[in-house]
Structures are given as structure tokens and as C-alpha cells.
Amino acid sequence: MENFWDFSVWGGFNIIAVLLLSLLAANLLKKSFKFLQVSLIPTSVLAGAILIIVADIYKIATGGTVMFDTAFFGGNGTAFLEMLTYHTLALGFIASAFKESGGKLTKERTSEIFNTGVTTVATYLLQGVVGLVITIIAAKFFIDEFFPASGLLLPFGYGQGTGQALNYGGIYEHDFGFIGGKSFGLTVAAFGFISASIGGVIHLNILKKRGIIKKTVAEEGAIHSEDIQREGEIPMQESIDKLTIQMALIAFAYFLAYLLMSLLGNLLPGMKSVIFGFNFLLGVLSATLIKAVMSFLKKKRVIKKEYTNDFLMTRVSNFFFDIMVVAGIAAIRLDILEKRWGILLILGVVGLAVTYAYNHFIARVLFKHYQEEQFLAMYGMLTGTASTGIILLREIDGDFKTPAADNLVYQNFPAIVFGFPLMFLALLAPKKPVLTTIILFLFFVVLNIILFRKQIFRRKKK
């Protein structure tokens, strides 16, 4: 029987409290120092960096003790941080999936959204190709006993963010013997956020010099009552709070996703780690199913009111994503990566360069009416998260007058369809990294033919 005063009872809470306190400290620093505001570094990334510095100081002061693995944090806090990163990825996506999808789309808008989704996957493939080329060469000529497929963590860390970098880093670590795979993936993801800030600030300053924008720090807009509660929704407070209902729906969707993953894992035991790595995707499918059932019941007048609220779901998803990023960065073990900093820095710099150049070219050719807005949104998302893309977009399109913000939301559907094979190729890479690189490159060429279909076939016709 455990006592309430034991660290085993308080360890998990202590970790969450420290994560939230670090976010407050990071927010205070950003408000206090203008260079941090101009840098556009997300507060959650800054909070994670603070915790890494504090943990390293603690380790030096105590002669090698890992701060988060002390009794105060339950004795295995690093594993708890990884667990938080894993779950908050899915919970954030589920909350986003419960939001309204908007009105009807025109043919032109459908084409732009489709192109955005294809661009997302094509960038994953480009990041994967250059990442694998770098790590295959490093493993063959420069670093003994290095994991050649580790370069494929570049698209998971940059393109998909902290959660997926942890998922696949963990698969490489547990299933393929890549020691430190989790920390490697999380560090790549952290470099992605830094790349978003560096590339974003450079581009914004270029636009500022050209006179395209007058400022580089977005102003907060007022929130109107209709943004908080729409007509026909359940009230904010009755016998059960409205936020509680949102959380219950999210939990229900994730519970269904767990049941589905367990079923698939039992049917395909050899694919269990991959199936549970898709927790965010199956969570989104479960949320979409629940939303469809609720919509059907409302049409049949079984449900009289709207139970989901976009404003609250946005707040909840942002909360989960903030926790995901700060926990993921805090879980990085710098000592494990001691001999790999050179290759990590090369991956980070090359990842920044190719993502910047490719997305700038795509935006200039395919999104001529709002090319700067589209570029900033896509570059931010494909080096960090969708939230990072929005941060950069707000610097030039604070009121979201262009369709760039909507493109980030709707592109998930074509991106999932085209990006699904990448998840399985990631399992081929440790066995046959060169073959995987060739397949990724060929897939990249095919997607670019699809992207530039109008330009290619129009020229042939002429």
C-alpha cells in the first residue's frame, strides 16, 4: 500500500508541474526580451530548452545524476516524459479533428488544398532522401557502427514533429538496435523548431526590406463572443461544464483508438509497434467517426444541440501540443548523443535549406496569388508543427485573409493518402537503406509530376 506522501504518488504530478512552470518562465522571458519575440521561437521550445539547461546543471552538480530520473520525479521521469509526448500528440490531433470543417469548397480551392497536401508529402520525401544520403555516407565512411537509416528521422522530426520523431526513434531503438534512437529523433525535432525560427525570421526580414510587410511581430486580435459560442450549442455551464464534455469526447475517441490498435496488434503481432505508432491517425479516424454519428443523430433530431465547440477544442489541442513539445525536448538525453552532434547539425542545416528552397519554389509557381503567405505557413509546418506555420503566417497575414491557414487544415486528407506508404518504408530503411532511398526519390519524382501536372501537360499540348 502506497502512502500519499511517497514520491511514487507525486512523481507524475511533479513532472507536469515543472513542465507548466517552464512554460510560464519561457513566456516571461519572451515578454521581457525583444530579441526572443523577434526570433519567433515557440514558447514551448524555449521552455524545453530551459529544462535541458537546468537538467544539465543538475547533472554536473550531482556528479552524473539524471534530474528527471530522481525519486522526486518518481524514479523514471524520462520514460514519463516520453509517454506524455506520445499521448499528447494523439490527443492534440483528436481535439483538432472535432472542430468544424467549414463550408463548401470551390474547384480552385479544392485544387489548392490538394496541391498543399501533395507538397507536404513531397517535402517529407525530399527530407527523407537527403537525410538518408547523409547518414548512409556517414555510416559507411566516417562513423563506426552508426545507424544508416537514422536520416529518415529527418522527415519525422521536421515534417511531422516531436511525437512522430519519438515514435519512430523508439521503433528504431527497440526493434532495430539504434541506441539512443528516441533522443536522436527528439533532437532532430528540436532542430526543426529552431530551423523554423531561423528561416522564418530571415524570410520575414527580406520581405520587410522589400516593403511587403511593415512589422515583424503580430498583434493579438480581439476574440468576439461568436468565436467562443455559436448559436445552437449547449450552454457553457449547466449540470456539467462544457469543457468537461469536450474532454470526455476526446477521451472517448482515444479509447476507441486504443481498442482498434489492440485489435489490429493482436491480428498482426509483428506490426504491433508500428500500429501503436499510428495512435494519432487512428485517434483522428475515431474522432471523425464520432463526429459523423453525432451529426447523423442531430439530423434525426435525437440530439437537439451541438456538443462540440471549436473555441474550446482549439484551446485544448494547443494545450496538448504545448505539453508535447516541451516534454519531448525535456526528454532528450544529451549524453547519449555525445558522438553524434556533428551528424545532427548537418541534418539540421540541410533540412532547413532543402525545406526552405523547395517550399519557396512551390509557393512561387503554384500559389501565385498568395505565395508569401503559403510559403511561410508551409515552411513553418514542415520544420515544426501546424502551430509553427500559423505563427509565421500571422506575421504577414494576421487576419487570415488568404486561404493559407485553411490549406494547413484541409491538406491533412490528401497528405494522409499519399503519405501513408512512407510509414511502411520507414521500416524497410533499417534493412535496406539504399533501396529505401531510391524508392523515396522515385516517389518524390512522381509527386512532382502530379504537382506540376498543369505546367507539364500544358507545355506538351502546345
Side-chain angles (χ1 to χ4, degrees), residues 29 44 60 261 353 393 452:
L29 285 175
S44 53
I60 293 169
M261 286 186 291
L393 176 62
F452 298 104

Side-chain angles (χ1 to χ4, degrees), residues 245-432:
I245 290 176
Q246 312 305 302
M247 296 300 293
L249 289 170
I250 293 168
F252 181 42
Y254 202 27
F255 177 67
L256 289 180
Y258 171 73
L259 294 179
L260 183 56
M261 286 186 291
S262 297
L263 176 62
L264 292 173
N266 290 330
L267 292 173
L268 303 167
M271 297 286 290
K272 203 164 191 176
S273 60
V274 179
I275 290 167
F276 275 86
F278 287 155
N279 64 329
F280 73 101
L281 178 58
L282 294 172
V284 168
L285 292 176
S286 297
T288 305
L289 177 63
I290 293 171
K291 207 165 82 167
V293 170
M294 291 174 68
S295 178
F296 174 77
L297 292 176
K298 191 180 179 190
K299 286 180 181 178
K300 296 296 182 181
R301 306 297 297 169
V302 176
I303 295 177
K304 303 293 193 298
K305 297 276 189 178
E306 283 286 348
Y307 279 79
T308 58
N309 176 270
D310 284 1
F311 177 79
L312 291 177
M313 286 297 185
T314 300
R315 305 280 74 75
V316 171
S317 67
N318 288 347
F319 169 77
F320 284 133
F321 287 141
D322 280 338
I323 294 295
M324 178 192 75
V325 172
V326 68
I329 294 175
I332 294 171
R333 294 284 301 274
L334 298 180
D335 55 321
I336 296 176
L337 303 171
E338 187 177 352
K339 297 179 180 178
R340 298 169 184 165
W341 283 111
I343 197 71
L344 279 165
L345 287 171
I346 293 171
L347 282 173
V349 172
V350 174
L352 185 160
V354 298
T355 307
Y356 184 99
Y358 182 67
N359 279 274
H360 191 265
F361 175 72
I362 294 289
R364 185 164 54 85
V365 175
L366 299 181
F367 299 88
K368 294 180 180 178
H369 298 300
Y370 53 99
Q371 66 181 61
E372 299 298 350
E373 292 84 356
Q374 178 73 8
F375 165 73
L376 286 168
M378 291 297 291
Y379 174 76
M381 182 183 72
L382 290 166
T383 48
T385 63
S387 298
T388 317
I390 293 297
I391 289 171
L392 292 179
L393 176 62
R394 287 178 65 244
E395 299 296 319
I396 191 172
D397 184 18
D399 296 325
F400 301 132
K401 293 179 180 178
T402 67
D406 287 339
N407 289 348
L408 291 190
V409 177
Y410 297 120
Q411 62 86 30
N412 284 296
F413 298 102
I416 287 172
V417 173
F418 285 103
F420 200 71
L422 177 63
M423 308 294 184
F424 293 98
L425 285 171
L427 301 179
L428 176 65
K431 302 171 186 175
K432 297 184 177 180

Side-chain angles (χ1 to χ4, degrees), residues 99-164:
K99 292 160 61 177
E100 284 296 318
S101 56
K104 294 181 179 179
L105 300 173
T106 63
K107 185 178 179 181
E108 182 181 2
R109 287 290 300 119
T110 302
S111 177
E112 289 174 343
I113 290 165
F114 176 80
N115 287 342
T116 303
V118 176
T119 302
T120 297
V121 181
T123 307
Y124 293 165
L125 296 170
L126 178 60
Q127 291 169 340
V129 168
V130 297
L132 280 171
V133 168
I134 290 169
T135 53
I136 288 170
I137 292 173
K140 191 169 183 63
F141 299 107
F142 299 105
I143 306 175
D144 294 332
E145 298 182 2
F146 184 63
F147 190 67
S150 58
L152 200 51
L153 292 173
L154 182 61
F156 291 116
Y158 272 50
Q160 298 193 6
T162 309
Q164 279 297 80

